[in-house]
């Protein structure tokens, strides 16, 4: 990444000087023009924190419960040692903890999150009729109540759920427990429980992205056991504001992403599909991800907080794509004093394999069915990397077998 010491004293007209000036303009605009959206903050105690506290003071069969943030392997072995009745007791007593417990079997987490979602829905239903709330507060409660009902519909597989703040969630498509190829869709700014899925322009939201990718992967490799995770389980920046220009939320999200990957089935090969600010999260996480993560593919990236693809894991394939009409190409690709996210992943010096994004149409269209960009994501996800469509005339499959 570029630092002040590396820039030295740039002369007017130099590339470094123009980049610094662009960053200064962005900073002033973000600070003065109201681009930054305000994330809603709801009163009351954080339900997950309350549940974790109760867990820490709880016991089962006369023994204290383990640290809920212990290693997934340890927690998995501990859960395997319990009887079905004991696991059922934990699910009903601490649904939010079990629903977010890395190391717990996926189906146990799905069950726990159905209970947690039901409880959260009932709370919001009561808030809808609470005359002590403002009309805006009751409207917000209604939107959340309907979102929770959506997540409870059918046989949806909710892998994680946290109603605190703007809300977080993750959903699985496919059989995660037996998957040999797992793709994780990591979205960008303005991702929360209310934007997790959309009726209008569904493929611009995390659920629509993951669902489209899962269907494409099944079509690409029908004989391969695949699963796709719609992972909106980090606090993303709200709007194109200061949080989006810095790496603070990416660093926090990276910790959560590493925890998720560490809990995925050991035999599975994992690919990260990272959009926009999600690529910053993936870039920060990459340095400490296990070798089961074989590929990182980014679209519409503002940078990955790395100078070169080789810094994102030895032997790991890094792919990048960008539509010609994507506005993200106009942002300054450097990092100065914490602002910006470093080198452009599509630059020749970065060393990523460049994929075609044909059909994507702008910043939010990379997962739309029928696009080459989605086809490429799917081929990377199922390991058919020699069949991808390269972009920019580059031989992105060179050296692959």
């Amino acid at each position: 990444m570029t630092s002040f010491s590396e820039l030295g004293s740039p002369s007017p007209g130099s590339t470094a000087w123009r980049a610094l000036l662009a960053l200064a303009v962005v900073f002033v605009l973000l600070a003065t023009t109201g681009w930054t959206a305000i994330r809603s903050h709801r009163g009351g105690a954080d339900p997950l924190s309350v549940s974790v506290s109760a867990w820490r003071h709880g016991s089962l069969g006369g023994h204290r419960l383990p640290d809920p943030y212990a290693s997934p392997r340890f927690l998995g072995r501990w859960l395997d040692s319990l009887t079905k009745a004991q696991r059922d007791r934990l699910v009903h007593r601490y649904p939010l903890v079990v629903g977010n417990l890395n190391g717990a079997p996926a189906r146990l987490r799905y069950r726990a999150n159905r209970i947690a979602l039901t409880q959260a829905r009932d709370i919001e239903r009561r808030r809808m009729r609470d005359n002590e709330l403002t009309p805006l507060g009751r409207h917000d409660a209604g939107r959340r109540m309907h979102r929770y009902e959506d997540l409870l519909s059918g046989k949806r597989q909710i892998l994680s759920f946290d109603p605190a703040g703007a809300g977080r969630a993750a959903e699985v498509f496919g059989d995660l427990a037996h998957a040999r190829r797992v793709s994780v869709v990591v979205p960008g700014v303005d991702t929360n429980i209310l934007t997790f899925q959309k009726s209008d322009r569904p493929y611009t939201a995390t659920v629509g992205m993951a669902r489209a990718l899962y269907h494409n992967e099944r079509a690409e490799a029908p004989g391969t056991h695949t699963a796709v995770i719609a992972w909106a389980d980090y606090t993303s920046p709200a709007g194109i504001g200061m949080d989006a220009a810095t790496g603070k939320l990416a660093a926090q999200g990276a910790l959560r992403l590493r925890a998720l990957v560490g809990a995925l089935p050991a035999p599975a090969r994992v690919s990260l599909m990272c959009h926009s600010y999600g690529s910053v999260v993936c870039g920060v996480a990459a340095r400490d991800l296990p070798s089961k993560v074989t590929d990182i593919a980014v679209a519409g990236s503002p940078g990955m907080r790395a100078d070169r693809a080789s810094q994102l894991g030895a032997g790991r394939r890094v792919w990048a794509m960008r539509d010609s009409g994507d506005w993200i190409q106009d942002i300054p690709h450097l990092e100065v004093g914490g602002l910006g996210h470093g080198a452009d992943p599509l630059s020749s010096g970065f060393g990523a394999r460049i994929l075609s994004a044909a059909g994507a149409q702008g910043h939010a269209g990379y997962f739309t069915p029928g696009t080459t960009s989605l086809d490429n994501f799917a081929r990377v996800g199922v390991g058919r990397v020699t069949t991808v469509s390269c972009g920019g005339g580059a031989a992105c499959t060179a050296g692959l077998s």
Side-chain angles (χ1 to χ4, degrees):
M1 297 178 193
T2 305
S3 65
F4 277 119
S5 61
E6 291 168 328
L7 288 170
S9 300
S11 60
S14 70
T15 300
W17 179 265
R18 290 196 300 272
L20 277 175
L21 181 61
L23 267 182
V25 171
V26 170
F27 181 86
V28 171
L29 285 171
L30 292 176
T32 62
T33 62
W35 286 6
T36 304
I38 302 212
R39 186 178 295 278
S40 69
H41 294 278
R42 303 167 73 242
D46 175 348
L48 180 55
S49 295
V50 171
S51 188
V52 167
S53 178
W55 172 284
R56 291 188 185 280
H57 291 87
S59 62
L60 187 68
H63 300 283
R64 293 187 62 181
L65 300 176
D67 181 355
Y69 300 109
S71 74
R73 186 176 179 182
F74 172 80
L75 290 171
R77 289 200 306 263
W78 176 73
L79 285 165
D80 286 343
S81 73
L82 304 181
T83 65
K84 181 180 182 302
Q86 288 175 319
R87 287 193 292 270
D88 288 345
R89 194 177 310 156
L90 291 175
V91 165
H92 286 88
R93 189 179 297 173
Y94 312 103
L96 272 175
V97 175
V98 177
N100 291 278
L101 198 64
N102 287 317
R107 292 192 179 279
L108 194 70
R109 293 178 67 169
Y110 303 157
R111 285 177 51 208
N113 281 318
R114 288 194 71 84
I115 295 171
L117 278 162
T118 300
Q119 294 174 348
R121 179 200 61 189
D122 294 345
I123 289 171
E124 298 302 333
R125 185 174 283 154
R126 290 193 294 271
R127 293 181 71 246
M128 288 171 60
R129 301 176 178 85
D130 187 348
N131 290 326
E132 293 186 3
L133 294 178
T134 65
L136 183 61
R138 291 194 295 272
H139 176 71
D140 176 68
R143 292 181 68 201
R144 283 176 171 262
M145 190 275 291
H146 289 300
R147 170 60 71 242
Y148 298 155
E149 284 191 333
D150 285 340
L151 296 176
L152 285 165
S153 63
K155 296 182 179 180
R156 297 184 70 168
Q157 301 177 138
I158 306 304
L159 186 67
S160 62
F161 167 63
D162 182 359
R168 298 191 293 242
E171 181 173 9
V172 174
F173 296 90
D175 183 357
L176 183 60
H178 299 99
R180 290 299 176 265
R181 290 277 178 178
V182 178
S183 296
V184 183
V185 175
V186 183
V189 301
D190 281 328
T191 298
N192 54 55
I193 201 70
L194 293 178
T195 61
F196 186 48
Q197 62 187 58
K198 296 178 182 178
S199 299
D200 183 38
R201 302 180 70 209
Y203 304 112
T204 66
T206 319
V207 167
M209 292 176 180
R211 183 181 285 119
L213 179 60
Y214 177 66
H215 289 316
N216 255 47
E217 288 189 355
R218 292 290 302 275
E220 283 288 338
T224 301
H225 294 290
T226 62
V228 176
I229 301 174
W231 191 77
D233 195 26
Y234 81 103
T235 300
S236 75
I240 310 300
M242 288 303 299
D243 281 341
T246 66
K248 179 182 177 181
L249 293 180
Q252 296 170 359
L255 292 174
R256 301 182 67 84
L257 182 57
R258 290 179 195 132
L260 167 79
V261 171
L264 294 176
R269 291 291 172 263
V270 180
S271 299
L272 305 183
M273 311 300 186
C274 320
H275 177 242
S276 193
Y277 189 84
S279 67
V280 187
V281 177
C282 292
V284 176
R287 295 158 177 82
D288 295 305
L289 289 172
S291 59
K292 72 172 75 172
V293 179
T294 58
D295 296 85
I296 300 177
V298 303
S301 174
M304 301 180 73
R305 299 211 148 226
D307 291 322
R308 295 175 298 279
S310 59
Q311 296 173 339
L312 303 178
R316 184 171 294 146
R317 293 181 292 257
V318 179
W319 310 82
M321 67 174 84
R322 184 169 61 220
D323 178 62
S324 59
D326 190 337
W327 57 262
I328 205 79
Q329 65 189 315
D330 296 323
I331 71 165
H333 285 281
L334 74 165
E335 189 271 320
V336 179
L339 282 174
H341 302 300
D344 182 356
L346 273 83
S347 64
S348 58
F350 190 79
R353 297 174 182 271
I354 309 303
L355 295 169
S356 170
Q361 296 186 352
H363 187 62
Y366 294 98
F367 290 84
T368 303
T371 59
T372 302
S373 53
L374 178 61
D375 292 342
N376 276 332
F377 273 134
R379 288 165 185 164
V380 169
V382 298
R384 297 187 63 206
V385 293
T386 60
T387 67
V388 298
S389 299
C390 298
C396 67
T397 58
L400 301 179
S401 60

